[in-house]
Amino acid sequence: MDETMTLPFEVKLAAGADMVEGELRRLLDTRPLEGELYRPDRLLKAMRHGVLNGGKRLRPFLVLETAALFEATDDTAALRVAAALECIHCYSLVHDDLPAMDDDDLRRGKPTVHRAFDEAAAILAGDSLLTYAFDIVSAPETALPAEAKITLVNRLARASGMGGMAGGQALDLAAEGSSLSEDEILRLQAMKTGALIRFACEAGAVVGSAQDADIERLGEFGAAIGLAFQLADDLLDLTASSEAMGKATGKDAAAGKATLASLHGIDWTRQQLRGLVAQAEDILEPFGERADTLKQAARFVAERQS
Ligand code: IPE
Ligand code: IPE
Ligand code: MG
Ligand code: MG
Ligand code: MG
């Protein structure tokens, strides 16, 4: 067995986060790329504020780990796709925190981008991060066949847009103060949080030139842990301190936001989380021991304390 298998999950996640952080720093360098005219200093600073120094980097970690499952020949391609996805995730947080959305002052233990800069800077930093993600995936430096890049760009667009994360955010805002059915909450969560996590798991398989059936299987795994991720976020919003989370807590109840945790209570949510972990582990069974780290990731998602 590979000796890295025995390391605690947090150590593996931190090692992945370091690699991703390094790649993001290179990508958000002051030097313009070919075809870019100039990188405005304040915009770039706002982007760097929203992206660097913090974050669990779970989504990029999932890209790297699922790619490793298929022994992707070029790790740099997986790292670039991972960094592109993190750019979209960070953009979603920058916009999620805006006064027109959740109106938050703290993110990853720091002032939110619109607090450290201003609202226009936060909007434009988000726009630029979203666009940059597609640049990163499609660029010549991403050493993948053109067909794989098109697949990734297409899946990433669908996971991020109106039928994915952004659509989920719209449903989430529309639901404030109204009561949703359990199915409506599940759909909302599958979109706002699940879609990007599902993409993370599928993307690694695409990078690793996996068969369609395996891409599909990893997608199912991603959907299960994506739901677990948002359930845990809602639970932590109810139970954790702002210091532990690096962001405000108690926000969902204050905003009258229906979550499964508020609908069914803390014990029910913990039980659901255990069920989702078991489901996620089952889905990975065909991959045997090679998927042990991904199974640990599923447990981490459900049991995380920040
Ligand atoms: C927070 O995501 C937003 C949700 C989708 C619930 P994370 O908990 O992954 O945030 P970071 O990236 O670690 O800060
Ligand atoms: C945000 O959900 C999900 C996205 C950013 C797409 P939340 O609004 O619950 O995330 P936090 O709690 O602010 O991180
Ligand atoms: Mg929100
Ligand atoms: Mg929020
Ligand atoms: Mg939340």
Side-chain angles (χ1 to χ4, degrees):
M1 192 168 86
D2 179 349
E3 65 186 28
T4 58
M5 287 287 198
T6 56
L7 289 174
F9 180 75
E10 279 74 5
V11 175
K12 295 185 206 174
L13 183 60
D18 276 353
M19 280 170 62
V20 171
E21 181 92 13
E23 187 65 19
L24 288 165
R25 274 184 195 283
R26 280 190 289 282
L27 288 163
L28 295 171
D29 187 72
T30 49
R31 259 170 312 152
L33 301 174
E34 194 187 332
E36 287 180 339
L37 301 179
Y38 175 64
R39 293 186 161 190
D41 186 52
R42 193 159 184 276
L43 173 61
L44 187 61
K45 284 201 172 100
M47 291 166 73
R48 291 171 64 95
H49 185 94
V51 172
L52 302 175
N53 296 324
K56 293 179 286 296
R57 312 300 191 195
L58 176 75
R59 294 156 193 78
F61 181 82
L62 291 170
V63 176
L64 299 177
E65 278 303 318
T66 46
L69 206 53
F70 300 98
E71 285 159 24
T73 45
D74 189 331
D75 288 345
T76 64
L79 189 56
R80 285 179 63 89
V81 173
L85 175 57
E86 185 67 7
C87 285
I88 294 201
H89 168 61
C90 294
Y91 127 70
S92 81
L93 298 179
V94 172
H95 281 192
D96 180 73
D97 291 333
L98 281 168
M101 295 189 71
D102 289 351
D103 193 11
D104 274 308
D105 298 338
L106 194 69
R107 170 67 65 183
R108 295 173 170 170
K110 293 184 301 184
T112 47
V113 176
H114 67 275
R115 289 304 233 156
F117 294 81
D118 54 50
E119 281 184 49
I123 292 167
L124 290 169
D127 293 343
S128 303
L129 287 169
L130 171 60
T131 316
Y132 198 24
F134 294 101
D135 178 333
I136 297 166
V137 174
S138 60
E141 291 80 3
T142 302
L144 287 173
E147 203 174 318
K149 288 188 196 178
I150 291 171
T151 300
L152 290 167
V153 163
N154 187 252
R155 285 179 184 249
L156 184 55
R158 296 213 177 156
S160 307
M162 62 181 163
M165 184 276 292
Q169 289 283 68
L171 292 176
D172 186 76
L173 291 177
E176 277 182 20
S178 68
S179 60
L180 295 185
S181 70
E182 186 162 324
D183 281 351
E184 286 172 322
I185 299 178
L186 286 170
R187 182 174 63 188
L188 179 167
Q189 300 200 331
M191 290 169 73
K192 84 163 182 174
T193 308
L196 289 186
I197 293 179
R198 180 181 186 132
F199 171 82
C201 300
E202 292 171 345
V206 173
V207 170
S209 309
Q211 304 284 321
D212 286 350
D214 283 338
I215 299 174
E216 180 68 23
R217 182 169 285 279
L218 266 303
E220 282 168 29
F221 169 74
I225 66 168
L227 175 56
F229 193 88
Q230 188 61 47
L231 279 179
D233 186 74
D234 297 342
L235 192 61
L236 290 165
D237 188 80
L238 277 174
T239 59
S241 69
S242 164
E243 291 71 34
M245 297 300 287
K247 63 185 183 184
T249 52
K251 295 267 315 184
D252 296 337
K257 198 163 275 184
T259 66
L260 292 178
S262 66
L263 203 65
H264 294 296
I266 292 170
D267 290 343
W268 179 92
T269 308
R270 293 216 167 101
Q271 202 182 324
Q272 284 297 110
L273 284 169
R274 283 192 289 275
L276 284 164
V277 171
Q279 189 187 327
E281 289 178 339
D282 272 359
I283 295 170
L284 293 179
E285 234 23 87
F287 299 109
E289 274 183 7
R290 284 183 302 139
D292 281 355
T293 302
L294 286 173
K295 289 183 189 166
Q296 287 180 316
R299 287 194 286 276
F300 169 81
V301 161
E303 292 164 13
R304 70 198 173 95
Q305 299 299 320
S306 69

